[in-house]
Amino acid sequence: MSKKYFGTDGIRGRVGDAPITPDFMMRLGYAAGRVLTSIESNLAKGAHPAVLIGKDTRISGYMLEAALEAGLSAAGVDILLTGPMPTPAVAYLTRALRAQAGIVISASHNPFYDNGIKFFSSLGTKLPDNIEHAIEAELEKPMQVMESSKLGKARRIGDAAGRYVEFCKSTFPNNLDLRGLKIVLDCAHGATYHVAPPVFHELGAEIITIGNKPDGLNINEQVGSTHPEALRKAVLEHQADLGIAFDGDGDRVMMVDSNGQLLDGDQLLYIITLARHNNGTLQGGVVGTLMTNLALEHKFAALNIPFVRAQVGDRYVLEQINQNGWQLGGENSGHILVLDKHSSGDGIIAALQVLQALVESKKTLAQMTADLTLYPQVLINVKTAQKIDLANHVQIQASVHAAEKELAGRGRILLRASGTEPLIRVMVEGENQLQVQTLAQNIADVVTQASR
C-alpha cells in the first residue's frame, strides 16, 4: 500500500508548501504521539511515552520543532529536545535515552528553503512501514487534546552533544590515535558543526574546519559533501593529509586525499571492506545500491567478497544487510552503514572507520584506493513537471535499448525517479567517458521531451 506523505527518507518538501507547514507538523506530532501511545506496552503505569527531537541548522527548524512539540504534547507524549544535532546522533540518543521514538527535522543535503521530518524507532532504526502507515491513518482523524493532567512535558537535553561526541570516539580503537594527521573538516554549515571537530581533535588529529558557521540560511551552500570544491581547495591550501566533508545532517561523508582527489562513498566503502577482509573481521559480504559503481562489484568478486545491490536509499541498504546477516553497506552518495558500530548511517563514524584502516595500514587514501579504478559514470538529473511511467514510455525505452546495444554488455543504464525531488535520474556507466556522456545526454533529452 502506497503512502501519502512518507517517502524513502521521511517527509520532505519546500517550507511553506504542504506538507512542510506548521499546521501539518502539529497534526503529524499528534498523530505520531497517538500511534506511539497505542503501541507502547513497556511503560510504568501513568508514565508518558517520550520522543526525542533533533534538527539541523535551517532557520525553519525552530518553527517546525515548536509545531511538533505542540502536537506531541497534546497527545500526552513527553518531548526531549536536543537542538541542532546530526541525524545519526538522534538515532543514537533515542536508543541511549530509552525514548519511544526519535524525530529529526532536516532536509539533509537540500538547500535551506527545504525541510523535512525523519523518524527513528526506539532501537535507533528507521520506522517500519506499518508504523508509518498507522501514522498516516491517524492523520486523517480529527485532532483532539488530552486533558490537562495528561499533557506531555518538554525538556532540553543539555549534554546531548557531549554524549554523541563520546559515542563516536568509542567506535575508534582505544590503542590507536590520529596524531600526526592534518585533517580539514567541512561541516556544510550543518548539524555536525559543533560535534565533528571535537571528535577528531580529541583523537589527536590537527584540525582545520570550514563550513562551521551556520546562520540558518547557508546550510549546504557551496560547502559540504555535495560541493566538495571548497574542501579540495582547503586541503591543498593547508597541505593537509586529507579532507572530510559531511552533508547538512551528518549522515553522508565524502573525503579528499592530499592531492585534492575526491573519494566518493563507493571508494570509502571499499577501504573499510578491504581492511576488514585483510584482517579477517569482515562478516559476510557488502550491500550496495543500483547506483554502486560496477568496478566495485567486479573488485569484490575478484576478492570473493559477496555483494548484492539494493534499491537506492539507506533504508533499503539496511534491509538487505539485515536479511543477509552482514554489517557493511552503502551508497556512492556517501551514506555508509557500519552496523557493528551504529544502527544507522553516520558520516563521522564512517570517516573514523576509514581513518582506522589508514592508521593500521600506514597508507594514504590514494594508496588505499590505487587498485580500484572506477568506471566513468554520468548522472543527469532531469526536472519533471509530471509523473512519467518510465517502464512503459515507448520513446524512453527505445532510447534506453539503443544505448544498451551500443554499450554491448560493457556498461549499465539506470533510470529512476527521485524519492525526494521532482526529478528523473538518468545514469549511464561504461568504460569510455565520451561514450557514456553522449549516451546519458541522449536519454536525458528524450526524458526531457516526455516530461513536457
mmCIF file with all atom_site columns, all heavy atoms in Angstrom, residues 371-390:
data_model
loop_
_atom_site.group_PDB
_atom_site.id
_atom_site.type_symbol
_atom_site.label_atom_id
_atom_site.label_alt_id
_atom_site.label_comp_id
_atom_site.label_asym_id
_atom_site.label_entity_id
_atom_site.label_seq_id
_atom_site.pdbx_PDB_ins_code
_atom_site.Cartn_x
_atom_site.Cartn_y
_atom_site.Cartn_z
_atom_site.occupancy
_atom_site.B_iso_or_equiv
_atom_site.pdbx_formal_charge
_atom_site.auth_seq_id
_atom_site.auth_comp_id
_atom_site.auth_asym_id
_atom_site.auth_atom_id
_atom_site.pdbx_PDB_model_num
ATOM 1   N N   . ASP A 1 371 ? 44.282 0.439  -6.380  1.00 0.00 ? 371 ASP A N   1
ATOM 2   C CA  . ASP A 1 371 ? 43.920 -0.712 -7.215  1.00 0.00 ? 371 ASP A CA  1
ATOM 3   C C   . ASP A 1 371 ? 42.437 -0.747 -7.560  1.00 0.00 ? 371 ASP A C   1
ATOM 4   O O   . ASP A 1 371 ? 41.939 -1.746 -8.085  1.00 0.00 ? 371 ASP A O   1
ATOM 5   C CB  . ASP A 1 371 ? 44.317 -2.014 -6.535  1.00 0.00 ? 371 ASP A CB  1
ATOM 6   C CG  . ASP A 1 371 ? 43.612 -2.217 -5.210  1.00 0.00 ? 371 ASP A CG  1
ATOM 7   O OD1 . ASP A 1 371 ? 43.084 -1.228 -4.651  1.00 0.00 ? 371 ASP A OD1 1
ATOM 8   O OD2 . ASP A 1 371 ? 43.590 -3.361 -4.714  1.00 0.00 ? 371 ASP A OD2 1
ATOM 9   N N   . LEU A 1 372 ? 41.707 0.327  -7.257  1.00 0.00 ? 372 LEU A N   1
ATOM 10  C CA  . LEU A 1 372 ? 40.284 0.416  -7.608  1.00 0.00 ? 372 LEU A CA  1
ATOM 11  C C   . LEU A 1 372 ? 40.096 1.585  -8.575  1.00 0.00 ? 372 LEU A C   1
ATOM 12  O O   . LEU A 1 372 ? 40.141 2.741  -8.180  1.00 0.00 ? 372 LEU A O   1
ATOM 13  C CB  . LEU A 1 372 ? 39.433 0.633  -6.352  1.00 0.00 ? 372 LEU A CB  1
ATOM 14  C CG  . LEU A 1 372 ? 37.936 0.853  -6.603  1.00 0.00 ? 372 LEU A CG  1
ATOM 15  C CD1 . LEU A 1 372 ? 37.288 -0.427 -7.169  1.00 0.00 ? 372 LEU A CD1 1
ATOM 16  C CD2 . LEU A 1 372 ? 37.228 1.285  -5.322  1.00 0.00 ? 372 LEU A CD2 1
ATOM 17  N N   . THR A 1 373 ? 39.894 1.283  -9.830  1.00 0.00 ? 373 THR A N   1
ATOM 18  C CA  . THR A 1 373 ? 39.658 2.313  -10.836 1.00 0.00 ? 373 THR A CA  1
ATOM 19  C C   . THR A 1 373 ? 38.178 2.302  -11.203 1.00 0.00 ? 373 THR A C   1
ATOM 20  O O   . THR A 1 373 ? 37.685 1.345  -11.830 1.00 0.00 ? 373 THR A O   1
ATOM 21  C CB  . THR A 1 373 ? 40.503 2.059  -12.098 1.00 0.00 ? 373 THR A CB  1
ATOM 22  O OG1 . THR A 1 373 ? 41.883 2.020  -11.738 1.00 0.00 ? 373 THR A OG1 1
ATOM 23  C CG2 . THR A 1 373 ? 40.276 3.165  -13.118 1.00 0.00 ? 373 THR A CG2 1
ATOM 24  N N   . LEU A 1 374 ? 37.461 3.340  -10.780 1.00 0.00 ? 374 LEU A N   1
ATOM 25  C CA  . LEU A 1 374 ? 36.027 3.401  -11.037 1.00 0.00 ? 374 LEU A CA  1
ATOM 26  C C   . LEU A 1 374 ? 35.750 3.612  -12.520 1.00 0.00 ? 374 LEU A C   1
ATOM 27  O O   . LEU A 1 374 ? 36.483 4.320  -13.210 1.00 0.00 ? 374 LEU A O   1
ATOM 28  C CB  . LEU A 1 374 ? 35.395 4.539  -10.227 1.00 0.00 ? 374 LEU A CB  1
ATOM 29  C CG  . LEU A 1 374 ? 35.501 4.442  -8.703  1.00 0.00 ? 374 LEU A CG  1
ATOM 30  C CD1 . LEU A 1 374 ? 34.793 5.622  -8.052  1.00 0.00 ? 374 LEU A CD1 1
ATOM 31  C CD2 . LEU A 1 374 ? 34.925 3.123  -8.181  1.00 0.00 ? 374 LEU A CD2 1
ATOM 32  N N   . TYR A 1 375 ? 34.686 2.987  -13.011 1.00 0.00 ? 375 TYR A N   1
ATOM 33  C CA  . TYR A 1 375 ? 34.271 3.196  -14.385 1.00 0.00 ? 375 TYR A CA  1
ATOM 34  C C   . TYR A 1 375 ? 33.622 4.572  -14.509 1.00 0.00 ? 375 TYR A C   1
ATOM 35  O O   . TYR A 1 375 ? 32.967 5.048  -13.562 1.00 0.00 ? 375 TYR A O   1
ATOM 36  C CB  . TYR A 1 375 ? 33.257 2.135  -14.809 1.00 0.00 ? 375 TYR A CB  1
ATOM 37  C CG  . TYR A 1 375 ? 33.793 0.726  -14.852 1.00 0.00 ? 375 TYR A CG  1
ATOM 38  C CD1 . TYR A 1 375 ? 32.938 -0.357 -14.897 1.00 0.00 ? 375 TYR A CD1 1
ATOM 39  C CD2 . TYR A 1 375 ? 35.160 0.469  -14.845 1.00 0.00 ? 375 TYR A CD2 1
ATOM 40  C CE1 . TYR A 1 375 ? 33.415 -1.660 -14.941 1.00 0.00 ? 375 TYR A CE1 1
ATOM 41  C CE2 . TYR A 1 375 ? 35.651 -0.829 -14.899 1.00 0.00 ? 375 TYR A CE2 1
ATOM 42  C CZ  . TYR A 1 375 ? 34.769 -1.885 -14.937 1.00 0.00 ? 375 TYR A CZ  1
ATOM 43  O OH  . TYR A 1 375 ? 35.255 -3.160 -14.983 1.00 0.00 ? 375 TYR A OH  1
ATOM 44  N N   . PRO A 1 376 ? 33.788 5.226  -15.646 1.00 0.00 ? 376 PRO A N   1
ATOM 45  C CA  . PRO A 1 376 ? 33.091 6.507  -15.848 1.00 0.00 ? 376 PRO A CA  1
ATOM 46  C C   . PRO A 1 376 ? 31.584 6.320  -15.645 1.00 0.00 ? 376 PRO A C   1
ATOM 47  O O   . PRO A 1 376 ? 30.987 5.371  -16.177 1.00 0.00 ? 376 PRO A O   1
ATOM 48  C CB  . PRO A 1 376 ? 33.418 6.857  -17.301 1.00 0.00 ? 376 PRO A CB  1
ATOM 49  C CG  . PRO A 1 376 ? 34.698 6.148  -17.587 1.00 0.00 ? 376 PRO A CG  1
ATOM 50  C CD  . PRO A 1 376 ? 34.631 4.864  -16.802 1.00 0.00 ? 376 PRO A CD  1
ATOM 51  N N   . GLN A 1 377 ? 31.009 7.196  -14.865 1.00 0.00 ? 377 GLN A N   1
ATOM 52  C CA  . GLN A 1 377 ? 29.581 7.119  -14.547 1.00 0.00 ? 377 GLN A CA  1
ATOM 53  C C   . GLN A 1 377 ? 29.010 8.529  -14.650 1.00 0.00 ? 377 GLN A C   1
ATOM 54  O O   . GLN A 1 377 ? 29.465 9.433  -13.955 1.00 0.00 ? 377 GLN A O   1
ATOM 55  C CB  . GLN A 1 377 ? 29.379 6.551  -13.138 1.00 0.00 ? 377 GLN A CB  1
ATOM 56  C CG  . GLN A 1 377 ? 27.944 6.212  -12.784 1.00 0.00 ? 377 GLN A CG  1
ATOM 57  C CD  . GLN A 1 377 ? 27.811 5.676  -11.366 1.00 0.00 ? 377 GLN A CD  1
ATOM 58  O OE1 . GLN A 1 377 ? 27.756 6.443  -10.399 1.00 0.00 ? 377 GLN A OE1 1
ATOM 59  N NE2 . GLN A 1 377 ? 27.774 4.363  -11.226 1.00 0.00 ? 377 GLN A NE2 1
ATOM 60  N N   . VAL A 1 378 ? 28.049 8.712  -15.524 1.00 0.00 ? 378 VAL A N   1
ATOM 61  C CA  . VAL A 1 378 ? 27.447 10.028 -15.734 1.00 0.00 ? 378 VAL A CA  1
ATOM 62  C C   . VAL A 1 378 ? 26.019 9.999  -15.212 1.00 0.00 ? 378 VAL A C   1
ATOM 63  O O   . VAL A 1 378 ? 25.233 9.113  -15.574 1.00 0.00 ? 378 VAL A O   1
ATOM 64  C CB  . VAL A 1 378 ? 27.463 10.418 -17.224 1.00 0.00 ? 378 VAL A CB  1
ATOM 65  C CG1 . VAL A 1 378 ? 26.686 11.721 -17.443 1.00 0.00 ? 378 VAL A CG1 1
ATOM 66  C CG2 . VAL A 1 378 ? 28.895 10.579 -17.715 1.00 0.00 ? 378 VAL A CG2 1
ATOM 67  N N   . LEU A 1 379 ? 25.701 10.956 -14.359 1.00 0.00 ? 379 LEU A N   1
ATOM 68  C CA  . LEU A 1 379 ? 24.347 11.075 -13.801 1.00 0.00 ? 379 LEU A CA  1
ATOM 69  C C   . LEU A 1 379 ? 23.779 12.428 -14.191 1.00 0.00 ? 379 LEU A C   1
ATOM 70  O O   . LEU A 1 379 ? 24.375 13.463 -13.917 1.00 0.00 ? 379 LEU A O   1
ATOM 71  C CB  . LEU A 1 379 ? 24.389 10.949 -12.275 1.00 0.00 ? 379 LEU A CB  1
ATOM 72  C CG  . LEU A 1 379 ? 23.057 11.141 -11.543 1.00 0.00 ? 379 LEU A CG  1
ATOM 73  C CD1 . LEU A 1 379 ? 22.074 10.046 -11.917 1.00 0.00 ? 379 LEU A CD1 1
ATOM 74  C CD2 . LEU A 1 379 ? 23.277 11.172 -10.033 1.00 0.00 ? 379 LEU A CD2 1
ATOM 75  N N   . ILE A 1 380 ? 22.643 12.416 -14.861 1.00 0.00 ? 380 ILE A N   1
ATOM 76  C CA  . ILE A 1 380 ? 21.961 13.648 -15.264 1.00 0.00 ? 380 ILE A CA  1
ATOM 77  C C   . ILE A 1 380 ? 20.595 13.674 -14.599 1.00 0.00 ? 380 ILE A C   1
ATOM 78  O O   . ILE A 1 380 ? 19.809 12.729 -14.713 1.00 0.00 ? 380 ILE A O   1
ATOM 79  C CB  . ILE A 1 380 ? 21.809 13.733 -16.797 1.00 0.00 ? 380 ILE A CB  1
ATOM 80  C CG1 . ILE A 1 380 ? 23.182 13.718 -17.468 1.00 0.00 ? 380 ILE A CG1 1
ATOM 81  C CG2 . ILE A 1 380 ? 21.043 15.003 -17.183 1.00 0.00 ? 380 ILE A CG2 1
ATOM 82  C CD1 . ILE A 1 380 ? 23.125 13.716 -18.981 1.00 0.00 ? 380 ILE A CD1 1
ATOM 83  N N   . ASN A 1 381 ? 20.296 14.749 -13.871 1.00 0.00 ? 381 ASN A N   1
ATOM 84  C CA  . ASN A 1 381 ? 19.003 14.931 -13.226 1.00 0.00 ? 381 ASN A CA  1
ATOM 85  C C   . ASN A 1 381 ? 18.096 15.745 -14.131 1.00 0.00 ? 381 ASN A C   1
ATOM 86  O O   . ASN A 1 381 ? 18.413 16.882 -14.478 1.00 0.00 ? 381 ASN A O   1
ATOM 87  C CB  . ASN A 1 381 ? 19.167 15.635 -11.880 1.00 0.00 ? 381 ASN A CB  1
ATOM 88  C CG  . ASN A 1 381 ? 19.910 14.781 -10.874 1.00 0.00 ? 381 ASN A CG  1
ATOM 89  O OD1 . ASN A 1 381 ? 19.706 13.575 -10.815 1.00 0.00 ? 381 ASN A OD1 1
ATOM 90  N ND2 . ASN A 1 381 ? 20.769 15.393 -10.074 1.00 0.00 ? 381 ASN A ND2 1
ATOM 91  N N   . VAL A 1 382 ? 16.984 15.168 -14.522 1.00 0.00 ? 382 VAL A N   1
ATOM 92  C CA  . VAL A 1 382 ? 16.030 15.842 -15.401 1.00 0.00 ? 382 VAL A CA  1
ATOM 93  C C   . VAL A 1 382 ? 14.824 16.274 -14.580 1.00 0.00 ? 382 VAL A C   1
ATOM 94  O O   . VAL A 1 382 ? 14.114 15.428 -14.008 1.00 0.00 ? 382 VAL A O   1
ATOM 95  C CB  . VAL A 1 382 ? 15.571 14.920 -16.549 1.00 0.00 ? 382 VAL A CB  1
ATOM 96  C CG1 . VAL A 1 382 ? 14.589 15.656 -17.462 1.00 0.00 ? 382 VAL A CG1 1
ATOM 97  C CG2 . VAL A 1 382 ? 16.772 14.417 -17.338 1.00 0.00 ? 382 VAL A CG2 1
ATOM 98  N N   . LYS A 1 383 ? 14.582 17.574 -14.495 1.00 0.00 ? 383 LYS A N   1
ATOM 99  C CA  . LYS A 1 383 ? 13.419 18.077 -13.769 1.00 0.00 ? 383 LYS A CA  1
ATOM 100 C C   . LYS A 1 383 ? 12.151 17.728 -14.535 1.00 0.00 ? 383 LYS A C   1
ATOM 101 O O   . LYS A 1 383 ? 12.092 17.852 -15.755 1.00 0.00 ? 383 LYS A O   1
ATOM 102 C CB  . LYS A 1 383 ? 13.515 19.587 -13.561 1.00 0.00 ? 383 LYS A CB  1
ATOM 103 C CG  . LYS A 1 383 ? 14.604 20.004 -12.585 1.00 0.00 ? 383 LYS A CG  1
ATOM 104 C CD  . LYS A 1 383 ? 14.542 21.491 -12.287 1.00 0.00 ? 383 LYS A CD  1
ATOM 105 C CE  . LYS A 1 383 ? 15.596 21.880 -11.249 1.00 0.00 ? 383 LYS A CE  1
ATOM 106 N NZ  . LYS A 1 383 ? 15.543 23.318 -10.917 1.00 0.00 ? 383 LYS A NZ  1
ATOM 107 N N   . THR A 1 384 ? 11.142 17.302 -13.807 1.00 0.00 ? 384 THR A N   1
ATOM 108 C CA  . THR A 1 384 ? 9.892  16.878 -14.435 1.00 0.00 ? 384 THR A CA  1
ATOM 109 C C   . THR A 1 384 ? 8.711  17.668 -13.881 1.00 0.00 ? 384 THR A C   1
ATOM 110 O O   . THR A 1 384 ? 8.659  17.947 -12.679 1.00 0.00 ? 384 THR A O   1
ATOM 111 C CB  . THR A 1 384 ? 9.645  15.380 -14.215 1.00 0.00 ? 384 THR A CB  1
ATOM 112 O OG1 . THR A 1 384 ? 9.634  15.105 -12.805 1.00 0.00 ? 384 THR A OG1 1
ATOM 113 C CG2 . THR A 1 384 ? 10.734 14.553 -14.873 1.00 0.00 ? 384 THR A CG2 1
ATOM 114 N N   . ALA A 1 385 ? 7.772  17.971 -14.750 1.00 0.00 ? 385 ALA A N   1
ATOM 115 C CA  . ALA A 1 385 ? 6.568  18.685 -14.334 1.00 0.00 ? 385 ALA A CA  1
ATOM 116 C C   . ALA A 1 385 ? 5.429  17.713 -14.058 1.00 0.00 ? 385 ALA A C   1
ATOM 117 O O   . ALA A 1 385 ? 4.412  18.093 -13.476 1.00 0.00 ? 385 ALA A O   1
ATOM 118 C CB  . ALA A 1 385 ? 6.156  19.677 -15.410 1.00 0.00 ? 385 ALA A CB  1
ATOM 119 N N   . GLN A 1 386 ? 5.591  16.466 -14.496 1.00 0.00 ? 386 GLN A N   1
ATOM 120 C CA  . GLN A 1 386 ? 4.547  15.471 -14.299 1.00 0.00 ? 386 GLN A CA  1
ATOM 121 C C   . GLN A 1 386 ? 5.184  14.102 -14.098 1.00 0.00 ? 386 GLN A C   1
ATOM 122 O O   . GLN A 1 386 ? 6.333  13.878 -14.439 1.00 0.00 ? 386 GLN A O   1
ATOM 123 C CB  . GLN A 1 386 ? 3.625  15.428 -15.520 1.00 0.00 ? 386 GLN A CB  1
ATOM 124 C CG  . GLN A 1 386 ? 4.356  15.131 -16.816 1.00 0.00 ? 386 GLN A CG  1
ATOM 125 C CD  . GLN A 1 386 ? 3.443  15.225 -18.028 1.00 0.00 ? 386 GLN A CD  1
ATOM 126 O OE1 . GLN A 1 386 ? 2.248  15.374 -17.899 1.00 0.00 ? 386 GLN A OE1 1
ATOM 127 N NE2 . GLN A 1 386 ? 4.026  15.151 -19.215 1.00 0.00 ? 386 GLN A NE2 1
ATOM 128 N N   . LYS A 1 387 ? 4.386  13.181 -13.537 1.00 0.00 ? 387 LYS A N   1
ATOM 129 C CA  . LYS A 1 387 ? 4.884  11.835 -13.291 1.00 0.00 ? 387 LYS A CA  1
ATOM 130 C C   . LYS A 1 387 ? 4.983  11.078 -14.610 1.00 0.00 ? 387 LYS A C   1
ATOM 131 O O   . LYS A 1 387 ? 4.101  11.169 -15.468 1.00 0.00 ? 387 LYS A O   1
ATOM 132 C CB  . LYS A 1 387 ? 3.942  11.101 -12.333 1.00 0.00 ? 387 LYS A CB  1
ATOM 133 C CG  . LYS A 1 387 ? 4.498  9.785  -11.824 1.00 0.00 ? 387 LYS A CG  1
ATOM 134 C CD  . LYS A 1 387 ? 3.614  9.207  -10.735 1.00 0.00 ? 387 LYS A CD  1
ATOM 135 C CE  . LYS A 1 387 ? 4.196  7.915  -10.192 1.00 0.00 ? 387 LYS A CE  1
ATOM 136 N NZ  . LYS A 1 387 ? 3.365  7.347  -9.102  1.00 0.00 ? 387 LYS A NZ  1
ATOM 137 N N   . ILE A 1 388 ? 6.076  10.335 -14.798 1.00 0.00 ? 388 ILE A N   1
ATOM 138 C CA  . ILE A 1 388 ? 6.311  9.587  -16.028 1.00 0.00 ? 388 ILE A CA  1
ATOM 139 C C   . ILE A 1 388 ? 6.413  8.099  -15.706 1.00 0.00 ? 388 ILE A C   1
ATOM 140 O O   . ILE A 1 388 ? 7.127  7.703  -14.777 1.00 0.00 ? 388 ILE A O   1
ATOM 141 C CB  . ILE A 1 388 ? 7.611  10.047 -16.722 1.00 0.00 ? 388 ILE A CB  1
ATOM 142 C CG1 . ILE A 1 388 ? 7.541  11.546 -17.058 1.00 0.00 ? 388 ILE A CG1 1
ATOM 143 C CG2 . ILE A 1 388 ? 7.859  9.245  -17.985 1.00 0.00 ? 388 ILE A CG2 1
ATOM 144 C CD1 . ILE A 1 388 ? 8.840  12.089 -17.610 1.00 0.00 ? 388 ILE A CD1 1
ATOM 145 N N   . ASP A 1 389 ? 5.691  7.287  -16.484 1.00 0.00 ? 389 ASP A N   1
ATOM 146 C CA  . ASP A 1 389 ? 5.793  5.836  -16.351 1.00 0.00 ? 389 ASP A CA  1
ATOM 147 C C   . ASP A 1 389 ? 7.005  5.388  -17.164 1.00 0.00 ? 389 ASP A C   1
ATOM 148 O O   . ASP A 1 389 ? 6.905  5.089  -18.353 1.00 0.00 ? 389 ASP A O   1
ATOM 149 C CB  . ASP A 1 389 ? 4.512  5.176  -16.864 1.00 0.00 ? 389 ASP A CB  1
ATOM 150 C CG  . ASP A 1 389 ? 4.517  3.658  -16.654 1.00 0.00 ? 389 ASP A CG  1
ATOM 151 O OD1 . ASP A 1 389 ? 5.541  3.129  -16.182 1.00 0.00 ? 389 ASP A OD1 1
ATOM 152 O OD2 . ASP A 1 389 ? 3.502  3.021  -16.979 1.00 0.00 ? 389 ASP A OD2 1
ATOM 153 N N   . LEU A 1 390 ? 8.160  5.375  -16.512 1.00 0.00 ? 390 LEU A N   1
ATOM 154 C CA  . LEU A 1 390 ? 9.408  5.103  -17.216 1.00 0.00 ? 390 LEU A CA  1
ATOM 155 C C   . LEU A 1 390 ? 9.407  3.735  -17.901 1.00 0.00 ? 390 LEU A C   1
ATOM 156 O O   . LEU A 1 390 ? 9.893  3.582  -19.023 1.00 0.00 ? 390 LEU A O   1
ATOM 157 C CB  . LEU A 1 390 ? 10.583 5.194  -16.244 1.00 0.00 ? 390 LEU A CB  1
ATOM 158 C CG  . LEU A 1 390 ? 10.870 6.577  -15.654 1.00 0.00 ? 390 LEU A CG  1
ATOM 159 C CD1 . LEU A 1 390 ? 11.915 6.462  -14.552 1.00 0.00 ? 390 LEU A CD1 1
ATOM 160 C CD2 . LEU A 1 390 ? 11.343 7.533  -16.732 1.00 0.00 ? 390 LEU A CD2 1
#
